[in-house]
Amino acid sequence: MQTLNVALGERAYPIHIGENLLSSGDLLLPHLKRKQVAIVTNTTVAPLYLEKIAQPLRDAGVAVISVILPDGEQYKNSATLGLIYDALLQNRCERGTTLIALGGGVVGDLTGYAAATYLRGVPFIQVPTTLLAQVDSSVGGKTGINHPLGKNMIGAFYQPQVVLADTLTLDTLPDRELSAGLAEVIKYGLIRDADFFVWLEQNIGRLLVREPQALAYAIHRSCVNKAEVVAADERESGERALLNLGHTFGHAVENGMGYGVWLHGEAVAAGTMLAADLSRRMGWLSDNDILRMQKIFDTANLPTKAPALGIDVYLGLMGLDKKVVDGKVRLVLQQGIGKAVVTGDYPAQLLRETLQSIEHA
Ligand code: NAD
Ligand code: GLY
């Protein structure tokens, strides 16, 4: 097991990464305020992993409630959040009850937001079971739900007590979901870790066949990157926004196509190529940089062409982004592989040309 720390002062917490961690009650018990937990998961993950985590807790005298949600991005909404509150109230859960998010990013974001708001805040623990959640969404305390008008528009910054990433859970993950997770792994290389990008170019095949050592390395290095960024800028007043590379375009794809049609990681990959196209038009990325990016996403079985929704639809959806300041859409653009900036200072005409290139592809 490898452990790293998210250095956030009194809100600091460990991330444990390793095999077979689910059944290690010992890693969870020290973080419980009282011996009651509510494990929030979904209909896909529950039959695979709920008992693995619940039984050792019960054996240690912990009262375990389970809340099983419908599965899918289309359920990351206020109605599903209501199901969590219903279960917590029906079971008279108190302020000392810990919520445990067992699942991918959807379960993690929903559970974290429920924890941030139930009784004005109860402790929560992240047990991510997708690659995407292990490398990104379980770390850093962004929680929330989608709104019909915009992705992740309602939420709170609320840090977990501990993150437990059991890499064995990835064995049951469908290939398409593994690839979606790789989009966020590749992101760290593109925004701030050029050496990691080179490692990924050389090792992407090992990740695709789920070689345990390669996966453990990629998850650990991703979490190191994420933890550093979050520790420097917890509430996204600066550097943290770089983690949104490809996301402004990507969120428009997810919403425009209907939540759940494109996976989040797929939309991020195609969105990252749009951001790269704009960066190239601004003279910040070379043709060779674009080719390297295209190749790694292709090899990871990720889409690099965004769907043709129409320029005005894109612009409308991109205008509903958390990075908008004074009505201006700020974008994460690249100034080379391993270097990104957040800027609202790009020619509007070049953005239109980038969006036009989708329609003409
Ligand atoms: P997801 O939660 O929908 O999980 C993907 C699918 O895999 C689901 O069907 C799920 O039930 C299934 N699954 C989960 N674990 C499994 C396992 N071990 N074996 C088999 N199937 C399994 O999607 P995701 O990619 O994990 O997360 C995407 C979500 O995360 C999006 O809503 C995105 O906005 C959010 N996100 C949040 C942050 C953040 O910082 N909070 C960062 C990135 C993404
Ligand atoms: N996934 C973006 C962030 O955590 O800031």
Side-chain angles (χ1 to χ4, degrees):
M1 183 178 88
Q2 304 182 80
T3 298
L4 52 116
N5 190 43
V6 185
L8 283 171
E10 60 183 15
R11 290 183 308 291
Y13 53 94
I15 306 170
H16 301 301
I17 303 164
E19 295 191 347
N20 251 329
L21 304 189
L22 277 189
S23 44
S24 314
D26 290 355
L27 294 174
L28 295 177
L29 290 168
H31 299 282
L32 305 185
K33 267 203 183 137
R34 71 190 291 261
K35 288 198 156 189
Q36 185 183 39
V37 301
I39 303 178
V40 183
T41 185
N42 71 22
T43 49
T44 305
V45 178
L48 295 169
Y49 301 115
L50 179 55
E51 275 314 299
K52 279 207 171 82
I53 187 168
Q55 194 54 49
L57 290 173
R58 276 192 219 105
D59 292 346
V62 177
V64 178
I65 296 151
S66 52
V67 186
I68 301 179
L69 305 174
D71 182 10
E73 181 75 35
Q74 65 275 33
Y75 296 107
K76 188 174 150 182
N77 57 27
S78 55
T80 310
L81 188 67
L83 298 177
I84 306 178
Y85 297 139
D86 291 350
L88 297 177
L89 286 165
Q90 280 155 9
N91 286 284
R92 298 181 183 274
C93 291
E94 304 176 5
R95 279 221 167 109
T97 305
T98 297
L99 304 199
I100 299 181
L102 173 69
V106 170
V107 164
D109 283 9
L110 272 160
T111 308
Y113 190 48
T117 47
Y118 180 68
L119 304 183
R120 301 202 176 94
V122 295
F124 94 112
I125 288 173
Q126 287 275 16
V127 184
T129 62
T130 63
L131 179 61
L132 185 139
Q134 294 186 357
V135 300
D136 192 351
S137 62
S138 66
V139 176
K142 277 192 183 174
T143 72
I145 56 174
N146 300 328
H147 186 278
L149 293 179
K151 166 94 182 150
N152 288 344
M153 292 306 277
I154 317 291
F157 288 99
Y158 195 66
Q159 302 293 342
Q161 305 296 309
V162 57
V163 179
L164 211 69
D166 186 336
T167 52
L168 276 190
T169 60
L170 302 182
D171 284 353
T172 53
L173 197 64
D175 287 341
R176 187 178 167 201
E177 298 291 350
L178 186 85
S179 289
L182 287 174
E184 303 279 21
V185 174
I186 292 166
K187 171 184 83 179
Y188 295 113
L190 290 173
I191 60 171
R192 72 193 302 274
D193 193 347
D195 290 345
F196 186 35
F197 188 81
V198 172
W199 183 90
L200 287 167
E201 289 181 304
Q202 290 161 354
N203 292 279
I204 192 85
R206 293 172 66 205
L207 295 173
L208 286 166
V209 297
R210 303 174 199 227
E211 209 181 281
Q213 277 182 336
L215 274 176
Y217 178 79
I219 294 166
H220 183 263
R221 184 125 175 190
S222 298
C223 286
V224 168
N225 272 295
K226 176 117 192 204
E228 280 175 9
V229 173
V230 169
D233 178 25
E234 182 183 9
R235 296 179 74 90
E236 199 169 298
S237 44
E239 185 185 355
R240 184 165 181 169
L242 300 181
L243 296 172
N244 279 314
L245 176 68
H247 284 57
T248 305
F249 294 103
H251 287 166
V253 171
E254 284 186 81
N255 186 336
M257 294 299 286
Y259 294 125
V261 176
W262 277 56
L263 300 184
H264 176 70
E266 294 170 343
V268 165
T272 298
M273 289 311 293
L274 288 174
D277 181 86
L278 179 53
S279 304
R280 184 184 55 79
R281 287 173 200 276
M282 293 180 69
W284 289 352
L285 276 188
S286 68
D287 289 347
N288 188 48
D289 292 332
I290 300 274
L291 279 176
R292 287 175 72 192
M293 293 175 62
Q294 178 82 40
K295 182 164 178 215
I296 201 161
F297 285 130
D298 281 345
T299 313
N301 301 316
L302 284 161
T304 52
K305 303 232 174 309
L309 301 172
I311 295 179
D312 291 332
V313 171
Y314 267 104
L315 290 174
L317 289 168
M318 289 168 68
L320 271 171
D321 184 88
K322 293 183 288 310
K323 290 185 296 304
V324 170
V325 174
D326 294 336
K328 173 92 183 168
V329 179
R330 293 184 311 140
L331 292 169
V332 184
L333 298 178
Q334 279 178 258
Q335 295 184 324
I337 292 206
K339 183 164 173 22
V341 291
V342 186
T343 180
D345 198 11
Y346 50 84
Q349 180 52 26
L350 289 189
L351 173 59
R352 288 192 77 84
E353 286 174 21
T354 287
L355 293 172
Q356 221 147 19
S357 72
I358 307 174
E359 309 298 317
H360 296 150

